[in-house]
Amino acid sequence: MADTFADAWRRVRLHNATLPALLARDFTRQAYREVCSQRPWSFLRGEGQILVNNAKTGTCDFTRGSATLPSSGGASGMVFAATDVDRQLRVNGIPYTILSVSLVGNTSAVLDQPWGGSTTNALAATVLDAYVTCPADFARWQAVLDPVNNWQLHLWVTDDELNAWDAQRSASGTSRVLATRRLSTTSALAGRIQYELWPYANAQVTYPYYYIKQLQDPADTDYFLGPLASRSEIVVNLALALSAEWPGTQDQKNPYFNLNLAKM
């Protein structure tokens, strides 16, 4: 059976009995993080799909300085739906994120920023999926695939570069880039890493993706996974090296302190 995290740090104390338990846990946690950072281990890999839905167009009434956006009604009026929350509304090239919708009467939406243009009625707008919010445990991409066109999306484009290429965000069609953006601020997804999908896709499409998960510090009862399940001594040995680099305190020296041993 695989060792638990507690098994590992207690084995560290078997070699250095004077090491405080909290410090043994900390050295073992540092060792675990160092080992996990060396390779994209199988237990740190995740996968999913970016689901881009069909864009829809309609007209809305915009009031300067207001984030509330009522549909202009009538045949051309935008029909908001509950599923539009966290999608983007693009008008004059600028995307706003939809925070909430009201389905009473002529539908309306609340945006993440107030409208900065002139007060205008029946202005054409588009609801689409411009931003991609990553999973809660996301650390970095491995690959994002476009199986229809048989290529991978470019992942290392910054928002500064995208602003230089297309400040108006006028490009649309087949997406080729996931550009870094910021952390999401919507209530349900606050704090998650967010990317911008460019050019903006108007038609339904799916992009399978693979990513590396954020490493979570293990609890005492957590079992080591992957290769470490049968080779936990790798973590223990590295924790012992850290222990051998610690001289102790002024009042209590560390008898295990030995820089040559730490290097070995």
Side-chain angles (χ1 to χ4, degrees):
M1 181 179 290
D3 286 343
T4 65
F5 177 70
D7 292 332
W9 69 258
R10 285 168 181 155
R11 282 165 59 193
V12 172
R13 293 197 75 202
L14 286 176
H15 292 268
N16 186 358
T18 62
L19 191 66
L22 289 177
L23 198 55
R25 292 181 81 254
D26 186 59
F27 286 153
T28 307
R29 181 165 49 247
Q30 290 182 54
Y32 176 71
R33 297 186 72 87
E34 177 64 24
V35 170
C36 289
S37 69
Q38 298 302 312
R39 290 183 174 85
W41 302 99
S42 56
F43 57 89
L44 293 177
R45 298 182 186 184
E47 60 184 275
Q49 295 179 326
I50 297 172
L51 302 179
V52 177
N53 295 311
N54 291 320
K56 62 183 180 183
T57 59
T59 57
C60 300
D61 296 338
F62 292 82
T63 302
R64 182 173 176 80
S66 174
T68 300
L69 185 71
S71 168
S72 60
S76 64
M78 179 70 75
V79 180
F80 290 106
T83 52
D84 291 333
V85 173
D86 293 324
R87 301 186 77 191
Q88 283 66 52
L89 182 135
R90 186 172 101 175
V91 57
N92 294 340
I94 301 174
Y96 296 79
T97 296
I98 299 172
L99 299 182
S100 63
V101 299
S102 173
L103 306 180
V104 178
N106 285 340
T107 58
S108 63
V110 176
L111 308 179
D112 63 334
Q113 299 181 60
W115 169 244
S118 302
T119 298
T120 308
N121 291 331
L123 184 62
T126 303
V127 173
L128 44 66
D129 296 305
Y131 301 151
V132 175
T133 302
C134 300
D137 61 353
F138 177 88
R140 59 182 172 86
W141 297 114
Q142 279 192 297
V144 181
L145 310 180
D146 182 346
V148 174
N149 294 292
N150 195 28
W151 65 44
Q152 296 186 35
L153 273 64
H154 299 288
L155 301 176
W156 309 119
V157 176
T158 67
D159 52 350
D160 290 337
E161 291 173 308
L162 194 55
N163 289 335
W165 298 345
D166 187 8
Q168 291 184 333
R169 300 298 193 270
S170 58
S172 60
T174 301
S175 300
R176 300 187 299 275
V177 164
L178 269 177
T180 58
R181 191 170 179 268
R182 58 170 172 78
L183 299 182
S184 175
T185 56
T186 59
S187 58
L189 304 173
R192 295 195 190 181
I193 298 172
Q194 199 171 66
Y195 284 78
E196 185 170 359
L197 192 62
W198 181 90
Y200 297 158
N202 292 316
Q204 178 176 296
V205 63
T206 300
Y207 299 110
Y209 62 77
Y210 304 90
Y211 70 101
I212 299 298
K213 299 178 182 180
Q214 291 180 4
L215 181 64
Q216 303 296 319
D217 287 335
D220 280 353
T221 55
D222 287 344
Y223 288 94
F224 288 120
L225 302 174
L228 296 181
S230 58
R231 294 294 306 277
S232 61
E233 71 273 11
I234 296 173
V235 175
V236 173
N237 287 340
L238 183 52
L240 286 171
L242 294 172
S243 172
E245 292 176 345
W246 181 64
T249 65
Q250 185 174 1
D251 297 330
Q252 183 177 357
K253 303 302 182 182
N254 176 18
Y256 200 76
F257 175 61
N258 186 322
L259 294 181
N260 289 328
L261 178 62
K263 292 178 183 178
M264 183 179 64

